[in-house]
Amino acid sequence: MTRAVMEKKDDLFEAMVEFGRSAELSGPTWLKERRAAALKRFEDLGLPTKRDESWRFTDTKVLKRTPFVPAVADASPGVDLSDLSFSTFGEDRLVFLNGHFAEELSSKNLPKGIRVRSLATALQQDADGLEPILGRYATSEHEAFNSLNLALFQDGAVIEVDPGCVVESPIHLLFVNRAADGPLLINTRVLAVCGDNSQVSLVESHLGLPGHPYLSNGVTEVLAGDNAVVDHYKVQQENSDAFHIATFQSHQGRNANVRTMTVTLSGAVVRNETNAVLGGEGGWAELNGLFLVGEDHHVDNFTRIEHAKPHCDSREVYRGILSEQGSGVFRGRIVVAKDAQKTDSKQTNNNLLLSDEALINTKPQLEIYADDVKCTHGATIGQLEKEAIFYLRSRGISESAARSMLIYAFATDVVGRIKVESLREELDRYLFSWLPKGEVVREAF
Amino acid sequence: MLEIKNLHVRAEGKEILKGIDLKVAPGEVHSIMGPNGSGKSTLANVLAGREDFEVTQGEIIYRDQDLLDMDPEERAREGVFLAFQYPVEIPGVSNTYFLRAALNAVRKHRGEKEVDAMEFLKLVREKAKLLKMDQSLLSRPVNEGFSGGEKKRNEIFHMAVLEPALGILDETDSGLDIDALKIVADGVNALRNKDRSFVVVTHYQRLLDYIVPDFVHVLYEGKIVKSGDKDLARELEKTGYSWLQNGKPEIQPVGQ
Ligand SMILES: Nc1ncnc2c1ncn2[C@@H]1O[C@H](COP(=O)(O)OP(=O)(O)OP(=O)(O)O)[C@@H](O)[C@H]1O
Ligand SMILES: [Mg+2]
């Protein structure tokens, strides 16, 4: 019996297969072929269950029972975007409503040497240029959702930075999601191709508006040429009933520097798979994450760093703050290939549990095939320190402010790694409003 | 200022303080001495409001209020300050900025105007100078990586900024070299006035040469077994505490 048959009862699975088969798969011939193959893979894989090693800690039952339908273009978000946190960073902003580019809400004031287009437009204008890249890096053969995205995506963002081009201000991709009439499947897709010696910062924010549940299913591919410096951030604040499942995939050349940070603020079930490949000597890859999990929400961070070439460094710092019945997962795989000598890799995952019912599963996984490497990893799970709370209270600070100060201090280790100042300030503002007595905390930092 | 009456305290089922009586008037300095484990820190921590301890009997009146009915932060805002025997390290929380939040909490409680960033910096500089605190200790996280002596000095720095009515110093002299001891003592003496009182826990006469106490009490097995003036400390320096074991110590109640 194949997996597809076993999982046949999944509404989501059946609906998607049905949809994929009946819909005309759009795009140039090569893309149609790739989409058909992806759909086939999706059918073969079925939706993940807890029996899948990489999904062991994440329950997809509710997701599977929800009758999502693929989102079509939405004319208006129904709110003033500037009222939303994480909606405005500088001048260059591309807005996507339910995954579809909304030109009238976007603004571009780009310097020479960088092009930013919607994926639908890019496929019309320049299909041949995308052929060797699109969907070629975020392959994750085992990933059903990733395949589903490739099969069904309709739009997204394409960022191309010319070799040697240094882009000063960050490029902001704002994804606004809203399921007004019923559960929606929203595919988002980002492709960034950064030439040799180029430098650019990208900020993705994924914001959910109240409404029905939806599944935001994203794929981001980042290619960094030799010597390129790419700084990528993703902040997500999906609505409380939403699912967010995404794959980030970077591939970097010689001496390139790629940093990515995933900030998870809300969503019923969130899973971010973050994969980085160090594909040239002398590269630096940094994966950072901050996740706040409350209510009965669940956040799964599944990361993988592949050292394919010698003399590369990787750094990974993930911090989780879990409260109420929130649950979280951190999985950190580091793979060091046989000839990736002189690899220097460091991974840390620290978790703060604020309630007795909160839960975290943390698991490093090192696969080292080279012999001259330095790989360290460490994970901690702790609670707020009583001694520290008493010390702060003994100075006149209220108990709730003292707790909030310690929580904020815990988060700053990751927040401080944000190099886009406007984003760091926005995240600080968010934390100060999220934390009880945040105004006192603000004063203390 | 402070009146402790028949205070009995337990921790984890064990009775630690077994009936303490102590009266501290405004402007007085009381020193508490006594062997290791006699309950000095327990007393200091109960005054500051640590919750690990259970008060089974007795009461503490602080400026006409029931101290035991107040949260630690309320006590601090009402002017009680504890300089810890073992100050904790708090990574990620700046020594200076947190102190501003604390000072403003205290000021707000007293109905005073909150200090702005400029005023606060001026105040901090002045107090840091008084205690010859290295500038770097101000910007670092609270006590993180501070040496033992630096931690103690930092406690007095906090006290100098917060200007409490009652300062409780728990072995602030331990771990200080002679120069640092003098600086810390000068810092404390600068705060002495006719309204402000201190309870100074120490093992050594040395500190009391600089911070001259009005009364000295000996705490032994959870009780104050002897009280006297500053000469008692000098006497203890010579005799040690061995006399406590030899039969019943002579009990002298405190009076003023
Ligand atoms: N939280 C606690 N739980 C159980 N026992 C405690 C606790 N705190 C203190 N004690 C015990 O109470 C007694 C008094 O301790 P305390 O720290 O008050 O002594 P001290 O006089 O300050 O000693 P030292 O001079 O060594 O600082 C000791 O036997 C100690 O082990
Ligand atoms: Mg002690």
Side-chain angles (χ1 to χ4, degrees):
Chain A
M1 197 161 48
T2 68
R3 284 290 297 282
V5 177
M6 284 170 65
E7 301 299 330
K8 215 169 170 178
K9 288 203 186 63
D10 299 338
D11 295 340
L12 174 64
F13 179 77
E14 293 199 339
M16 291 306 119
V17 170
E18 177 84 24
F19 182 84
R21 282 183 183 152
S22 61
E24 205 199 318
L25 299 176
S26 65
T29 315
W30 59 263
L31 181 57
K32 281 186 183 146
E33 285 168 14
R34 240 170 254 179
R35 286 184 189 277
L39 192 65
K40 173 76 172 48
R41 197 160 58 234
F42 176 72
E43 284 185 46
D44 290 346
L45 285 167
L47 291 177
T49 72
K50 289 195 163 187
R51 288 188 304 268
D52 292 274
E53 169 52 26
S54 64
W55 281 80
R56 234 175 85 194
F57 300 108
T58 297
D59 197 332
T60 52
K61 281 197 205 77
V62 182
L63 179 86
K64 289 175 187 168
R65 281 197 297 267
T66 312
F68 297 102
V69 297
V72 292
D74 205 339
S76 146
V79 295
D80 185 347
L81 292 184
S82 58
D83 291 343
L84 307 175
S85 298
F86 306 103
S87 67
T88 322
F89 304 98
E91 291 166 29
D92 304 311
R93 180 177 83 171
L94 268 69
V95 179
F96 297 83
L97 301 178
N98 290 349
H100 296 268
F101 181 53
E103 181 150 32
E104 61 291 355
L105 297 170
S106 303
S107 58
K108 284 185 273 181
N109 182 16
L110 297 166
K112 263 182 69 154
I114 172 167
R115 271 175 316 289
V116 178
R117 289 179 286 180
S118 83
L119 181 49
T121 305
L123 280 167
Q124 278 164 17
Q125 294 174 343
D126 190 16
D128 291 349
L130 294 173
E131 197 265 343
I133 310 167
L134 188 72
R136 276 288 164 86
Y137 289 89
T139 48
S140 317
E141 300 285 331
H142 61 280
E143 251 301 340
F145 290 100
N146 183 358
S147 303
L148 186 65
N149 182 298
L150 184 57
L152 300 182
F153 82 83
Q154 296 196 333
D155 207 349
V158 179
I159 296 111
E160 293 153 285
V161 189
D162 288 345
C165 174
V166 175
V167 187
E168 301 280 350
S169 69
I171 307 297
H172 182 203
L173 308 172
L174 171 59
F175 296 91
V176 180
N177 300 325
R178 180 174 69 139
D181 304 316
L184 289 181
L185 166 67
I186 297 168
N187 290 302
T188 66
R189 201 157 180 116
V190 176
L191 173 64
V193 184
C194 311
D196 294 350
N197 301 302
S198 68
Q199 290 188 23
V200 68
S201 304
L202 304 172
V203 180
E204 288 181 46
S205 40
H206 296 252
L207 311 178
L209 298 174
H212 292 272
Y214 56 84
L215 164 57
S216 165
N217 182 32
V219 175
T220 297
E221 291 171 295
V222 171
L223 303 186
D226 291 351
N227 253 336
V229 179
V230 182
D231 205 11
H232 170 266
Y233 302 87
K234 180 169 118 175
V235 180
Q236 79 229 12
Q237 193 184 10
E238 302 285 12
N239 85 32
S240 261
D241 301 317
F243 302 88
H244 180 107
I245 295 175
T247 305
F248 169 91
Q249 177 76 55
S250 65
H251 191 283
Q252 63 190 88
R254 216 182 151 85
N255 296 323
N257 177 331
V258 173
R259 305 169 79 234
T260 180
M261 182 183 294
T262 308
V263 178
T264 302
L265 304 174
S266 80
V269 176
V270 175
R271 175 176 161 105
N272 281 301
E273 181 170 329
T274 304
N275 302 316
V277 177
L278 289 145
E281 288 191 19
W284 172 278
E286 208 176 310
L287 272 58
N288 296 312
L290 175 68
F291 50 108
L292 314 183
V293 199
E295 300 179 48
D296 56 353
H297 292 172
H298 179 78
V299 175
D300 183 342
N301 304 284
F302 190 91
T303 72
R304 184 176 192 275
I305 300 174
E306 188 183 330
H307 282 262
K309 289 283 188 287
H311 292 285
C312 290
D313 292 350
S314 64
R315 296 289 180 271
E316 188 169 12
V317 176
Y318 269 72
R319 289 201 159 192
I321 300 172
L322 301 108
S323 55
E324 298 168 302
Q325 285 141 42
S327 56
V329 182
F330 172 78
R331 304 256 262 168
R333 252 180 107 179
I334 311 276
V335 183
V336 181
K338 195 154 175 281
D339 66 341
Q341 302 296 1
K342 304 287 178 193
T343 285
D344 183 337
S345 167
K346 190 165 183 229
Q347 177 189 87
T348 356
N349 168 231
N350 308 108
N351 304 287
L352 189 55
L353 299 184
L354 299 178
S355 82
D356 293 340
E357 289 166 295
L359 185 76
I360 180 82
N361 271 295
T362 175
K363 199 175 158 198
Q365 197 180 339
L366 306 186
E367 283 175 41
I368 301 173
Y369 302 103
D371 46 30
D372 185 11
V373 302
K374 203 166 98 193
C375 289
T376 62
H377 63 86
T380 62
I381 301 172
Q383 291 161 351
L384 291 178
E385 237 178 282
K386 268 174 62 186
E387 291 292 311
I389 293 172
F390 178 63
Y391 187 88
L392 294 171
R393 292 178 79 188
S394 81
R395 299 300 186 243
I397 290 165
S398 72
E399 182 175 12
S400 61
R403 291 174 60 88
S404 290
M405 269 183 201
L406 297 177
I407 296 168
Y408 180 77
F410 178 81
T412 50
D413 187 83
V414 175
V415 178
R417 290 168 204 268
I418 299 176
K419 291 187 181 171
V420 174
E421 201 181 330
S422 50
L423 175 62
R424 198 175 58 236
E425 289 169 358
E426 184 83 342
L427 184 54
D428 270 339
R429 269 194 292 279
Y430 178 87
L431 292 171
F432 292 139
S433 69
W434 174 73
L435 289 165
K437 293 270 177 222
E439 69 286 355
V440 180
V441 182
R442 181 197 302 259
E443 190 181 23
F445 285 89
Chain B
M1 171 71 63
L2 180 74
E3 188 173 359
I4 302 173
K5 292 183 202 160
N6 190 30
L7 183 71
H8 289 252
V9 171
R10 294 163 77 96
E12 287 169 21
K14 181 180 148 201
E15 183 152 51
I16 301 172
L17 299 183
K18 303 168 182 166
I20 302 269
D21 291 285
L22 182 68
K23 212 167 164 178
V24 180
E28 286 179 355
V29 174
H30 288 242
S31 171
I32 296 185
M33 305 184 82
N36 293 130
S38 56
K40 303 180 298 295
S41 293
T42 302
L43 177 62
N45 278 286
V46 167
L47 288 171
R50 189 189 288 271
E51 280 149 4
D52 308 343
F53 299 106
E54 186 197 348
V55 175
T56 52
Q57 263 189 72
E59 59 177 336
I60 305 178
I61 308 297
Y62 169 73
R63 291 172 141 183
D64 300 327
Q65 300 173 79
D66 177 2
L67 189 73
L68 295 174
D69 194 34
M70 294 156 73
D71 285 334
E73 58 268 37
E74 270 182 272
R75 300 181 193 200
R77 292 169 192 178
E78 285 285 333
V80 177
F81 180 92
L82 170 63
F84 286 76
Q85 182 175 5
Y86 304 111
V88 291
E89 302 195 4
I90 312 184
V93 175
S94 142
N95 195 23
T96 305
Y97 292 130
F98 117 80
L99 199 56
R100 185 170 78 147
L103 178 64
N104 279 334
V106 171
R107 292 180 66 97
K108 216 160 122 185
H109 179 78
R110 292 195 205 132
E112 293 167 2
K113 201 172 108 335
E114 296 186 25
V115 292
D116 65 28
M118 288 302 286
E119 292 167 320
F120 182 72
L121 250 123
K122 198 166 150 263
L123 177 71
V124 156
R125 275 208 207 97
E126 183 191 309
K127 303 295 186 183
K129 210 170 130 199
L130 177 73
L131 288 156
K132 302 200 168 61
M133 288 265 293
D134 198 89
Q135 199 63 36
S136 73
L137 298 183
L138 301 179
S139 50
R140 266 160 56 182
V142 184
N143 293 322
E144 196 182 44
F146 287 25
S147 72
E150 286 168 344
K151 283 182 184 167
K152 296 303 177 76
R153 199 184 295 208
N154 193 39
E155 293 294 285
I156 302 306
F157 166 67
H158 288 178
M159 182 167 81
V161 170
L162 297 174
E163 298 188 321
L166 172 66
I168 303 155
L169 277 50
D170 191 359
E171 292 198 31
T172 302
D173 53 334
S174 305
L176 292 182
D177 60 40
I178 192 72
D179 294 335
L181 180 78
K182 203 167 170 317
I183 292 163
V184 162
D186 286 347
V188 174
N189 286 330
L191 286 168
R192 281 184 77 165
N193 64 29
K194 65 174 185 18
D195 299 318
R196 189 172 283 134
S197 313
F198 292 90
V199 174
V200 179
V201 174
T202 182
H203 283 288
Y204 306 105
Q205 161 61 28
R206 216 171 53 142
L207 177 70
L208 304 179
D209 285 341
Y210 297 108
I211 306 174
V212 181
D214 301 297
F215 298 93
V216 174
H217 311 277
V218 179
L219 192 62
Y220 178 65
E221 291 185 349
K223 283 188 185 141
I224 289 177
V225 293
K226 200 171 166 73
S227 295
D229 63 10
K230 61 182 188 323
D231 294 336
L232 175 57
R234 201 152 285 139
E235 199 180 306
L236 290 171
E237 186 94 333
K238 276 193 242 121
T239 61
Y241 297 109
S242 55
W243 54 272
L244 288 165
Q245 269 99 35
N246 312 330
K248 252 184 138 197
E250 167 196 356
I251 298 179
Q252 252 178 264
V254 204
Q256 51 225 290

